[in-house]
Amino acid sequence: MSPADLGTGRSSLGRVLDFAWGAGVFTATDAMAAATLTRSTTIDAIDTLVAARMLRELPNARAAGEYRAGRPARRFELPADLGTVAGLDAGDTHLSLQVTNLAGEAILHSRFDLDPGHSIRRRQDAVLRHVETALAGGGHGPLLALCVGVAAPVDRDGHSPRHPDGFWERTNAGLVDLLADLADVVEVKNDAQLAATAEGAVGAAVDCRDYVALLAGERLGAGVVIDGHLLHGLHGGVGEMFAFDYVRGVDSAFGLGPILERRARALVASGETAPDGGLAGLDPRDVDARHVLGLAAAGDPDALQVVRTAGESLARIVGVLGSMYDPERIIVCGAIAEGIGPVLDAAREALGPHLHLPAPALVASSLGADIVTRGAVLRALESARQVALPRLAERRLRETEDARR
Protein backbone atom coordinates (compact mmCIF):
# COMPACT_ATOMS: atom_id res chain seq x y z
CA MET A 1 0.00 0.00 0.00
CA SER A 2 1.44 3.35 -0.97
CA PRO A 3 0.78 6.66 0.81
CA ALA A 4 -1.22 7.78 -2.23
CA ASP A 5 -3.57 4.78 -2.06
CA LEU A 6 -5.54 4.20 1.11
CA GLY A 7 -7.92 1.94 -0.74
CA THR A 8 -10.44 2.46 -3.49
CA GLY A 9 -11.64 6.06 -3.67
CA ARG A 10 -9.28 7.26 -0.95
CA SER A 11 -6.29 8.50 -2.95
CA SER A 12 -6.91 12.10 -1.85
CA LEU A 13 -6.63 11.02 1.78
CA GLY A 14 -3.34 9.30 1.06
CA ARG A 15 -1.93 12.33 -0.73
CA VAL A 16 -2.83 14.66 2.12
CA LEU A 17 -1.48 12.21 4.69
CA ASP A 18 1.78 11.84 2.77
CA PHE A 19 2.13 15.63 2.58
CA ALA A 20 1.51 15.93 6.32
CA TRP A 21 4.51 13.69 7.03
CA GLY A 22 7.35 16.07 7.81
CA ALA A 23 5.31 19.19 6.97
CA GLY A 24 4.99 20.35 10.55
CA VAL A 25 2.08 22.75 11.08
CA PHE A 26 0.19 23.36 7.84
CA THR A 27 -3.00 24.87 6.44
CA ALA A 28 -5.44 23.54 3.87
CA THR A 29 -3.85 25.89 1.32
CA ASP A 30 -0.44 24.33 1.98
CA ALA A 31 -1.84 20.81 1.55
CA MET A 32 -3.84 21.73 -1.54
CA ALA A 33 -0.76 23.02 -3.36
CA ALA A 34 1.45 20.07 -2.39
CA ALA A 35 -1.14 17.36 -3.04
CA THR A 36 -2.43 19.00 -6.26
CA LEU A 37 -6.07 18.69 -5.21
CA THR A 38 -8.97 21.10 -5.37
CA ARG A 39 -9.67 23.14 -2.26
CA SER A 40 -12.94 21.37 -1.48
CA THR A 41 -11.37 17.91 -1.94
CA THR A 42 -8.44 18.93 0.27
CA ILE A 43 -10.70 20.22 3.06
CA ASP A 44 -12.88 17.10 2.88
CA ALA A 45 -9.78 14.90 3.12
CA ILE A 46 -8.40 16.87 6.07
CA ASP A 47 -11.71 16.74 7.93
CA THR A 48 -11.94 12.99 7.35
CA LEU A 49 -8.39 12.46 8.64
CA VAL A 50 -9.07 14.66 11.69
CA ALA A 51 -12.20 12.62 12.48
CA ALA A 52 -10.12 9.45 12.18
CA ARG A 53 -7.52 10.92 14.58
CA MET A 54 -4.81 10.81 11.89
CA LEU A 55 -4.44 14.60 11.87
CA ARG A 56 -4.73 17.02 14.77
CA GLU A 57 -6.40 20.42 14.38
CA LEU A 58 -4.57 23.19 16.19
CA PRO A 59 -5.80 26.62 17.31
CA ASN A 60 -6.36 28.78 14.23
CA ALA A 61 -4.03 31.52 13.09
CA ARG A 62 -5.78 34.18 15.19
CA ALA A 63 -5.45 32.12 18.37
CA ALA A 64 -1.82 31.37 17.52
CA GLY A 65 -1.06 35.08 17.15
CA GLU A 66 -0.35 34.81 13.40
CA TYR A 67 -3.61 36.38 12.13
CA ARG A 68 -3.35 39.69 10.29
CA ALA A 69 -6.47 40.18 8.14
CA GLY A 70 -9.33 38.18 6.70
CA ARG A 71 -10.66 34.87 7.89
CA PRO A 72 -8.14 33.07 10.18
CA ALA A 73 -6.70 29.92 8.64
CA ARG A 74 -7.28 26.52 10.22
CA ARG A 75 -4.03 24.80 11.15
CA PHE A 76 -3.21 21.08 11.33
CA GLU A 77 -0.37 18.70 12.02
CA LEU A 78 0.41 15.00 11.88
CA PRO A 79 0.66 14.02 15.57
CA ALA A 80 4.15 12.76 16.34
CA ASP A 81 2.59 10.45 18.95
CA LEU A 82 0.49 8.52 16.44
CA GLY A 83 3.02 5.77 16.91
CA THR A 84 6.69 4.97 17.20
CA VAL A 85 9.43 3.33 15.15
CA ALA A 86 12.49 1.42 16.30
CA GLY A 87 15.93 0.63 14.91
CA LEU A 88 17.97 -2.27 16.28
CA ASP A 89 21.64 -2.97 15.65
CA ALA A 90 21.81 -6.71 16.31
CA GLY A 91 25.58 -7.07 16.35
CA ASP A 92 27.52 -10.21 17.15
CA THR A 93 28.46 -8.93 20.62
CA HIS A 94 25.78 -6.33 21.37
CA LEU A 95 22.24 -5.13 20.82
CA SER A 96 21.61 -1.40 20.44
CA LEU A 97 18.00 -0.24 20.19
CA GLN A 98 16.61 3.24 19.58
CA VAL A 99 12.92 4.14 19.60
CA THR A 100 11.67 7.45 18.16
CA ASN A 101 8.37 9.17 17.50
CA LEU A 102 7.30 9.88 13.92
CA ALA A 103 9.25 13.14 13.94
CA GLY A 104 12.44 11.13 14.53
CA GLU A 105 12.81 12.42 18.10
CA ALA A 106 14.40 9.85 20.41
CA ILE A 107 12.20 8.31 23.07
CA LEU A 108 14.60 5.70 24.42
CA HIS A 109 17.97 4.15 23.65
CA SER A 110 19.16 0.93 25.23
CA ARG A 111 22.22 -1.27 24.81
CA PHE A 112 22.84 -4.86 25.85
CA ASP A 113 26.03 -6.92 25.57
CA LEU A 114 25.86 -10.42 24.07
CA ASP A 115 27.97 -13.53 24.25
CA PRO A 116 29.15 -14.05 20.64
CA GLY A 117 29.18 -17.80 21.27
CA HIS A 118 25.41 -17.95 21.83
CA SER A 119 23.45 -20.62 20.02
CA ILE A 120 20.76 -19.54 17.57
CA ARG A 121 18.06 -20.21 20.18
CA ARG A 122 19.81 -18.24 22.90
CA ARG A 123 20.40 -15.36 20.50
CA GLN A 124 16.73 -15.36 19.56
CA ASP A 125 15.75 -15.29 23.23
CA ALA A 126 18.16 -12.44 23.95
CA VAL A 127 16.97 -10.31 21.01
CA LEU A 128 13.28 -10.82 21.73
CA ARG A 129 13.70 -10.22 25.47
CA HIS A 130 15.73 -7.04 24.91
CA VAL A 131 13.26 -5.54 22.43
CA GLU A 132 10.17 -6.45 24.45
CA THR A 133 11.71 -5.12 27.66
CA ALA A 134 12.67 -1.83 26.00
CA LEU A 135 9.18 -1.39 24.55
CA ALA A 136 7.35 -2.42 27.71
CA GLY A 137 7.12 1.15 29.01
CA GLY A 138 4.64 2.06 26.28
CA GLY A 139 2.70 5.29 26.42
CA HIS A 140 3.98 6.53 23.06
CA GLY A 141 1.55 4.86 20.67
CA PRO A 142 1.87 1.60 18.75
CA LEU A 143 5.14 0.46 17.22
CA LEU A 144 4.54 1.03 13.51
CA ALA A 145 7.87 -0.12 12.08
CA LEU A 146 10.95 -1.97 13.30
CA CYS A 147 14.17 -2.35 11.32
CA VAL A 148 17.00 -4.64 12.41
CA GLY A 149 20.59 -4.48 11.16
CA VAL A 150 22.73 -7.64 11.10
CA ALA A 151 26.27 -8.46 9.97
CA ALA A 152 25.14 -10.78 7.18
CA PRO A 153 23.79 -10.58 3.65
CA VAL A 154 19.99 -10.30 3.79
CA ASP A 155 17.59 -10.91 0.92
CA ARG A 156 14.49 -8.83 0.25
CA ASP A 157 12.39 -11.05 2.51
CA GLY A 158 14.71 -10.57 5.50
CA HIS A 159 16.46 -13.95 5.34
CA SER A 160 20.18 -14.69 5.07
CA PRO A 161 21.83 -17.40 2.96
CA ARG A 162 23.74 -20.26 4.50
CA HIS A 163 27.30 -19.59 5.61
CA PRO A 164 29.99 -22.30 5.59
CA ASP A 165 30.55 -21.80 9.32
CA GLY A 166 26.93 -21.00 10.18
CA PHE A 167 27.79 -17.38 11.07
CA TRP A 168 25.12 -15.71 8.95
CA GLU A 169 22.36 -18.01 10.19
CA ARG A 170 23.37 -17.37 13.80
CA THR A 171 23.65 -13.61 13.33
CA ASN A 172 20.34 -13.34 11.50
CA ALA A 173 18.61 -15.97 13.60
CA GLY A 174 15.26 -15.87 11.80
CA LEU A 175 14.75 -12.36 13.17
CA VAL A 176 12.17 -11.19 10.62
CA ASP A 177 9.85 -14.02 11.69
CA LEU A 178 10.78 -13.85 15.37
CA LEU A 179 9.85 -10.17 15.64
CA ALA A 180 6.97 -10.14 13.13
CA ASP A 181 4.24 -9.55 15.73
CA LEU A 182 5.90 -6.51 17.31
CA ALA A 183 5.13 -3.95 14.59
CA ASP A 184 3.10 -3.40 11.45
CA VAL A 185 6.31 -3.55 9.40
CA VAL A 186 9.35 -5.58 10.47
CA GLU A 187 12.45 -5.60 8.26
CA VAL A 188 15.93 -7.09 8.60
CA LYS A 189 18.73 -5.42 6.64
CA ASN A 190 22.49 -5.74 6.25
CA ASP A 191 24.27 -3.48 8.73
CA ALA A 192 26.62 -1.86 6.19
CA GLN A 193 23.68 -1.01 3.94
CA LEU A 194 22.01 0.70 6.88
CA ALA A 195 25.26 2.57 7.56
CA ALA A 196 25.12 3.79 3.95
CA THR A 197 21.54 4.94 4.52
CA ALA A 198 22.62 6.95 7.54
CA GLU A 199 25.61 8.51 5.76
CA GLY A 200 23.44 9.55 2.83
CA ALA A 201 20.77 11.10 5.05
CA VAL A 202 22.71 12.80 7.83
CA GLY A 203 26.39 11.99 7.38
CA ALA A 204 29.34 12.44 5.05
CA ALA A 205 27.42 11.46 1.91
CA VAL A 206 24.61 14.03 2.00
CA ASP A 207 24.03 15.13 -1.62
CA CYS A 208 26.51 12.51 -2.88
CA ARG A 209 25.21 10.01 -5.47
CA ASP A 210 28.19 7.63 -5.59
CA TYR A 211 29.75 6.44 -2.35
CA VAL A 212 30.71 3.44 -0.25
CA ALA A 213 30.08 3.30 3.50
CA LEU A 214 32.79 0.98 4.81
CA LEU A 215 32.11 -0.54 8.21
CA ALA A 216 35.66 -1.30 9.23
CA GLY A 217 35.79 -2.05 12.96
CA GLU A 218 35.92 -5.78 13.70
CA ARG A 219 35.01 -6.98 10.21
CA LEU A 220 34.72 -5.30 6.84
CA GLY A 221 31.33 -4.62 5.28
CA ALA A 222 30.34 -2.15 2.60
CA GLY A 223 27.11 -0.36 1.80
CA VAL A 224 27.34 0.73 -1.84
CA VAL A 225 25.36 3.61 -3.35
CA ILE A 226 25.77 4.21 -7.09
CA ASP A 227 23.82 6.78 -9.11
CA GLY A 228 21.82 7.48 -5.97
CA HIS A 229 20.67 3.86 -5.57
CA LEU A 230 21.62 1.57 -2.70
CA LEU A 231 22.82 -1.66 -4.33
CA HIS A 232 21.44 -4.89 -2.94
CA GLY A 233 21.79 -8.03 -5.08
CA LEU A 234 19.76 -11.22 -5.16
CA HIS A 235 20.86 -12.37 -1.70
CA GLY A 236 21.70 -8.92 -0.33
CA GLY A 237 25.37 -9.66 -0.84
CA VAL A 238 26.58 -6.50 -2.56
CA GLY A 239 29.44 -5.24 -0.41
CA GLU A 240 30.16 -8.62 1.19
CA MET A 241 33.91 -8.55 1.91
CA PHE A 242 34.85 -12.24 1.80
CA ALA A 243 36.71 -11.49 -1.46
CA PHE A 244 39.49 -9.78 0.53
CA ASP A 245 40.65 -13.19 1.70
CA TYR A 246 42.20 -13.33 -1.77
CA VAL A 247 43.72 -9.85 -1.93
CA ARG A 248 47.42 -9.75 -1.09
CA GLY A 249 48.24 -7.36 1.70
CA VAL A 250 44.72 -7.59 3.13
CA ASP A 251 44.25 -11.37 3.28
CA SER A 252 40.97 -11.41 5.22
CA ALA A 253 37.69 -9.62 5.85
CA PHE A 254 38.82 -8.52 9.31
CA GLY A 255 38.47 -4.79 9.90
CA LEU A 256 40.93 -2.06 10.74
CA GLY A 257 40.73 -2.76 14.48
CA PRO A 258 42.10 -6.32 14.17
CA ILE A 259 44.61 -5.19 11.51
CA LEU A 260 46.04 -2.53 13.83
CA GLU A 261 46.08 -4.88 16.81
CA ARG A 262 47.66 -7.77 14.92
CA ARG A 263 50.48 -5.63 13.55
CA ALA A 264 51.09 -3.81 16.82
CA ARG A 265 51.22 -7.10 18.73
CA ALA A 266 53.67 -8.53 16.22
CA LEU A 267 55.91 -5.48 16.68
CA VAL A 268 55.73 -5.74 20.47
CA ALA A 269 56.42 -9.48 20.38
CA SER A 270 59.47 -8.90 18.16
CA GLY A 271 61.10 -6.80 20.86
CA GLU A 272 61.96 -4.14 18.26
CA THR A 273 59.93 -1.31 19.79
CA ALA A 274 61.70 1.89 20.79
CA PRO A 275 62.71 1.68 24.48
CA ASP A 276 60.97 4.96 25.30
CA GLY A 277 57.96 4.39 23.03
CA GLY A 278 54.37 3.88 24.07
CA LEU A 279 54.33 0.22 23.02
CA ALA A 280 57.54 -0.78 24.78
CA GLY A 281 57.15 -3.34 27.53
CA LEU A 282 53.48 -4.03 26.87
CA ASP A 283 52.08 -7.53 27.00
CA PRO A 284 50.98 -8.14 23.38
CA ARG A 285 47.57 -9.22 24.71
CA ASP A 286 47.06 -5.73 26.18
CA VAL A 287 47.48 -3.93 22.85
CA ASP A 288 44.25 -2.56 21.37
CA ALA A 289 43.43 -0.42 18.35
CA ARG A 290 42.31 2.67 20.26
CA HIS A 291 45.59 2.75 22.19
CA VAL A 292 47.61 2.46 18.98
CA LEU A 293 45.63 5.24 17.30
CA GLY A 294 46.04 7.49 20.33
CA LEU A 295 49.79 6.94 20.34
CA ALA A 296 50.00 7.59 16.60
CA ALA A 297 48.10 10.86 16.99
CA ALA A 298 50.66 11.87 19.63
CA GLY A 299 53.54 11.08 17.22
CA ASP A 300 54.79 7.81 18.75
CA PRO A 301 57.17 6.35 16.09
CA ASP A 302 56.25 2.70 16.70
CA ALA A 303 52.54 3.44 16.53
CA LEU A 304 53.09 5.46 13.36
CA GLN A 305 54.89 2.48 11.85
CA VAL A 306 51.90 0.26 12.67
CA VAL A 307 49.53 2.87 11.25
CA ARG A 308 51.50 3.04 8.00
CA THR A 309 51.22 -0.72 7.47
CA ALA A 310 47.49 -0.60 8.28
CA GLY A 311 47.17 2.31 5.84
CA GLU A 312 48.77 0.20 3.12
CA SER A 313 46.13 -2.50 3.71
CA LEU A 314 43.37 0.10 3.61
CA ALA A 315 44.81 1.47 0.36
CA ARG A 316 44.41 -1.98 -1.21
CA ILE A 317 40.82 -2.17 0.06
CA VAL A 318 40.08 1.28 -1.36
CA GLY A 319 41.78 0.31 -4.62
CA VAL A 320 39.51 -2.71 -5.05
CA LEU A 321 36.32 -0.85 -4.08
CA GLY A 322 37.32 2.13 -6.23
CA SER A 323 37.97 -0.07 -9.25
CA MET A 324 34.72 -2.03 -8.82
CA TYR A 325 32.30 0.82 -8.06
CA ASP A 326 34.03 4.10 -9.05
CA PRO A 327 32.63 6.04 -6.06
CA GLU A 328 33.16 9.70 -5.31
CA ARG A 329 33.74 8.95 -1.60
CA ILE A 330 34.62 6.03 0.62
CA ILE A 331 33.54 6.67 4.19
CA VAL A 332 35.10 4.67 7.02
CA CYS A 333 32.28 4.08 9.51
CA GLY A 334 31.65 2.75 12.98
CA ALA A 335 33.37 3.25 16.32
CA ILE A 336 36.79 2.82 14.63
CA ALA A 337 36.23 6.08 12.70
CA GLU A 338 37.08 8.11 15.80
CA GLY A 339 40.83 8.62 15.67
CA ILE A 340 41.28 6.85 12.32
CA GLY A 341 42.78 9.96 10.70
CA PRO A 342 46.42 8.74 10.74
CA VAL A 343 45.43 5.50 8.97
CA LEU A 344 43.50 7.44 6.34
CA ASP A 345 46.52 9.71 5.77
CA ALA A 346 48.74 6.67 5.30
CA ALA A 347 46.21 5.07 2.95
CA ARG A 348 46.01 8.18 0.79
CA GLU A 349 49.80 8.21 0.43
CA ALA A 350 49.88 4.52 -0.52
CA LEU A 351 46.86 4.49 -2.84
CA GLY A 352 48.51 5.50 -6.14
CA PRO A 353 49.64 2.05 -7.41
CA HIS A 354 46.33 0.38 -6.49
CA LEU A 355 43.91 2.41 -8.61
CA HIS A 356 43.95 3.58 -12.23
CA LEU A 357 40.75 5.62 -11.95
CA PRO A 358 40.77 8.96 -10.11
CA ALA A 359 40.96 8.16 -6.42
CA PRO A 360 37.79 8.55 -4.34
CA ALA A 361 37.86 10.90 -1.38
CA LEU A 362 38.63 8.86 1.74
CA VAL A 363 36.91 10.30 4.79
CA ALA A 364 36.00 9.32 8.34
CA SER A 365 32.38 9.14 9.42
CA SER A 366 31.17 11.45 12.18
CA LEU A 367 28.19 9.26 13.12
CA GLY A 368 30.01 7.12 15.67
CA ALA A 369 29.33 3.64 16.99
CA ASP A 370 25.54 3.97 16.64
CA ILE A 371 25.57 4.45 12.88
CA VAL A 372 23.78 1.13 12.19
CA THR A 373 21.09 1.96 14.74
CA ARG A 374 20.61 5.38 13.15
CA GLY A 375 20.34 3.85 9.70
CA ALA A 376 17.82 1.33 11.01
CA VAL A 377 15.69 4.13 12.51
CA LEU A 378 15.78 6.05 9.23
CA ARG A 379 14.67 2.94 7.36
CA ALA A 380 11.91 2.31 9.90
CA LEU A 381 10.67 5.89 9.53
CA GLU A 382 10.46 5.46 5.76
CA SER A 383 8.60 2.17 6.18
CA ALA A 384 6.20 3.87 8.59
CA ARG A 385 5.56 6.61 6.06
CA GLN A 386 5.16 4.33 3.05
CA VAL A 387 3.37 1.34 4.59
CA ALA A 388 2.48 1.40 8.28
CA LEU A 389 0.89 4.86 8.47
CA PRO A 390 -1.50 4.20 5.55
CA ARG A 391 -2.44 0.89 7.19
CA LEU A 392 -3.14 2.66 10.47
CA ALA A 393 -5.21 5.27 8.64
CA GLU A 394 -7.23 2.56 6.88
CA ARG A 395 -7.99 0.87 10.20
CA ARG A 396 -9.05 4.12 11.85
CA LEU A 397 -11.14 5.18 8.89
CA ARG A 398 -13.03 1.90 9.03
CA GLU A 399 -13.56 2.34 12.77
CA THR A 400 -14.93 5.83 12.15
CA GLU A 401 -17.24 4.59 9.40
CA ASP A 402 -18.46 1.68 11.54
CA ALA A 403 -19.20 4.06 14.42
CA ARG A 404 -21.40 6.19 12.15
CA ARG A 405 -23.52 3.25 11.00
Side-chain angles (χ1 to χ4, degrees):
M1 184 183 298
S2 74
D5 184 9
L6 280 170
T8 304
R10 288 179 169 170
S11 64
S12 61
L13 301 181
R15 287 155 73 176
V16 170
L17 187 62
D18 191 46
F19 160 74
W21 182 282
V25 177
F26 66 92
T27 66
T29 301
D30 299 327
M32 178 180 67
T36 61
L37 298 168
T38 66
R39 184 168 188 83
S40 61
T41 299
T42 302
I43 291 172
D44 286 346
I46 288 174
D47 286 342
T48 300
L49 291 169
V50 169
R53 296 171 290 117
M54 294 301 299
L55 293 179
R56 177 184 294 138
E57 184 165 6
L58 303 173
N60 64 34
R62 176 181 288 132
E66 298 173 4
Y67 170 66
R68 286 177 170 76
R71 184 176 179 179
R74 296 169 68 195
R75 302 158 66 249
F76 310 91
E77 68 176 1
L78 182 77
D81 58 0
L82 270 177
T84 59
V85 304
L88 174 66
D89 177 8
D92 196 36
T93 61
H94 69 276
L95 301 173
S96 178
L97 179 74
Q98 183 171 6
V99 179
T100 78
N101 63 19
L102 298 189
E105 299 165 339
I107 294 172
L108 66 88
H109 192 175
S110 62
R111 186 180 174 90
F112 180 75
D113 291 331
L114 290 177
D115 178 355
H118 271 176
S119 66
I120 288 178
R121 182 52 187 266
R122 291 187 67 188
R123 180 171 174 81
Q124 288 177 327
D125 290 344
V127 170
L128 187 59
R129 182 172 63 254
H130 180 72
V131 175
E132 288 182 334
T133 300
L135 297 175
H140 303 287
L143 183 65
L144 298 181
L146 167 64
C147 182
V148 183
V150 296
V154 183
D155 68 19
R156 291 174 179 84
D157 296 322
H159 302 110
S160 296
R162 290 185 176 275
H163 185 271
D165 298 326
F167 176 73
W168 293 340
E169 303 96 301
R170 187 175 68 253
T171 298
N172 182 14
L175 298 181
V176 72
D177 300 316
L178 177 74
L179 303 172
D181 293 336
L182 297 185
D184 266 333
V185 181
V186 174
E187 296 180 294
V188 177
K189 299 290 183 181
N190 171 261
D191 56 358
Q193 292 180 4
L194 292 175
T197 296
E199 292 294 349
V202 295
V206 172
D207 297 326
C208 181
R209 292 178 55 81
D210 303 282
Y211 64 93
V212 175
L214 182 64
L215 280 178
E218 291 302 312
R219 295 187 65 84
L220 297 174
V224 181
V225 174
I226 301 299
D227 295 329
H229 300 289
L230 179 63
L231 302 187
H232 189 269
L234 176 63
H235 303 101
V238 173
E240 177 59 34
M241 299 285 100
F242 173 70
F244 284 105
D245 282 13
Y246 303 101
V247 176
R248 286 181 302 169
V250 183
D251 304 313
S252 76
F254 286 111
L256 294 177
I259 288 173
L260 286 163
E261 290 167 3
R262 184 170 64 248
R263 296 184 181 184
R265 287 166 183 168
L267 181 62
V268 170
S270 73
E272 297 177 0
T273 55
D276 57 348
L279 297 177
L282 287 180
D283 186 321
R285 294 171 296 183
D286 295 333
V287 175
D288 65 60
R290 287 185 179 276
H291 184 51
V292 173
L293 290 172
L295 290 173
D300 182 270
D302 291 330
L304 288 171
Q305 178 183 336
V306 171
V307 160
R308 279 192 295 272
T309 62
E312 290 167 3
S313 292
L314 179 57
R316 293 174 185 268
I317 295 167
V318 170
V320 171
L321 295 175
S323 296
M324 291 177 64
Y325 300 116
D326 189 22
E328 177 185 342
R329 297 171 202 165
I330 293 180
I331 307 158
V332 176
C333 306
I336 194 70
E338 184 180 354
I340 203 64
V343 179
L344 301 190
D345 291 340
R348 294 185 191 104
E349 292 179 7
L351 185 56
H354 303 297
L355 187 65
H356 293 175
L357 289 167
L362 184 58
V363 300
S365 171
S366 63
L367 299 184
D370 286 329
I371 184 170
V372 174
T373 310
R374 295 185 71 169
V377 166
L378 288 166
R379 174 63 193 179
L381 284 167
E382 187 61 22
S383 296
R385 176 180 185 172
Q386 293 289 336
V387 181
L389 198 64
R391 287 179 182 171
L392 176 63
E394 187 65 53
R395 290 195 297 270
R396 290 191 173 184
L397 288 165
R398 286 179 185 148
E399 291 170 1
T400 301
E401 290 165 356
D402 290 344
R404 289 173 176 169
R405 292 193 181 107

